[in-house]
Amino acid sequence: MPSVPSVLFVCVHNAGRSQMAAAYLARLGGDRVEVHSAGSAPADTVNPAVAEAMAEVGIDISAETPKILTTEAVRTSDVVITMGCGDACPYFPGKRYLDWRLDDPAGQGVAAVRPIRDAIESRVRGLLAELGIGPTE
């Protein structure tokens, strides 16, 4: 693992789970980790209920834009974490792949998004520990 590991979060629309995970990792990992997110079929915008749930914990993702998953994004990442993108994520030997099974916040209200958000925060904190990076908060 390089001194600054690169982590890519992937879900279908890059509008919910992967955006929350990337935002938490960026907040908690700071400049000690490189963070990216993408989707196999990206939406036009971040899910408003997801943005609202993240704003409740002081993280503004309302200006984020869903991005398309590229082979290059996977190739240049050390850790690839999928969240329901199925077989759409390319595989490269030597990469660390994790699959986080989480409910999809699509079409859900903020009350349903909160437990997903909190589960993602917990997993991100666990990932930081595995990477040997203490959280900034």
Side-chain angles (χ1 to χ4, degrees), residues 23-120:
Y24 266 124
L25 187 57
R27 163 74 64 85
L28 298 171
D31 61 1
R32 296 164 299 150
V33 64
E34 186 179 309
V35 183
H36 303 280
S37 70
S40 54
D44 293 328
T45 61
V46 170
N47 178 329
V50 167
E52 182 179 342
M54 292 301 285
E56 291 176 351
V57 295
I59 300 174
D60 182 5
I61 63 168
S62 61
E64 294 296 325
T65 304
K67 296 165 273 317
I68 186 76
L69 175 64
T70 65
T71 301
E72 187 62 19
V74 176
R75 184 186 331 274
T76 60
S77 297
D78 301 303
V79 181
V80 179
I81 300 173
T82 58
M83 303 170 172
C85 72
D87 296 332
C89 193
Y91 179 81
F92 291 98
K95 303 283 176 204
R96 180 173 177 202
Y97 289 86
L98 300 171
D99 184 39
W100 289 358
R101 297 190 184 278
L102 298 157
D103 291 337
D104 188 346
Q108 304 292 323
V110 71
V113 173
R114 287 182 189 118
I116 301 167
R117 174 200 65 201
D118 296 345
I120 288 171

